[in-house]
Amino acid sequence: MNLPEKVQAIAPMLQQIPERYRSIFQDRCSKAMTDPVPARFSGAFNYDFKVELYRGVFFPVRLHPNWSKRPTLGSFNSG
């Protein structure tokens, strides 16, 4: 995905993801934060005159029911 080798903590995560994936990440990450189940997704992009398949899942992490922060753990694969 051409992500930087080192995490850039001062830059928002979404800006570090290639633009063609951003809407998917934003949508599915939001879904994982609001729904109590994993947000699974798959599909295809037309990119550089070829088709790129992708699939992934985001899991909501709820360590405490009253916790105001809702982190998400995810996996994404494309090729």
Side-chain angles (χ1 to χ4, degrees):
M1 287 181 49
N2 297 326
L3 294 174
E5 285 189 35
K6 188 173 182 179
V7 175
Q8 298 176 12
I10 59 171
M13 181 194 74
L14 201 57
Q15 290 179 3
Q16 297 180 49
I17 296 171
E19 194 170 332
R20 66 186 179 275
Y21 302 125
R22 288 180 187 173
S23 64
I24 293 168
F25 272 70
Q26 201 165 23
D27 178 55
R28 293 303 160 174
C29 190
S30 294
K31 186 168 178 56
M33 287 189 291
T34 58
D35 293 349
V37 296
R40 294 177 179 90
F41 56 98
S42 63
F45 288 108
N46 291 321
Y47 180 72
D48 274 348
F49 302 103
K50 60 184 174 183
V51 176
E52 180 181 358
L53 302 175
Y54 65 87
R55 65 181 173 184
V57 62
F58 285 104
F59 298 90
V61 178
R62 292 192 175 89
L63 301 175
H64 190 280
N66 297 326
W67 202 18
S68 64
K69 295 181 177 33
R70 298 209 172 169
T72 304
L73 176 65
S75 176
F76 182 81
N77 186 10
S78 68

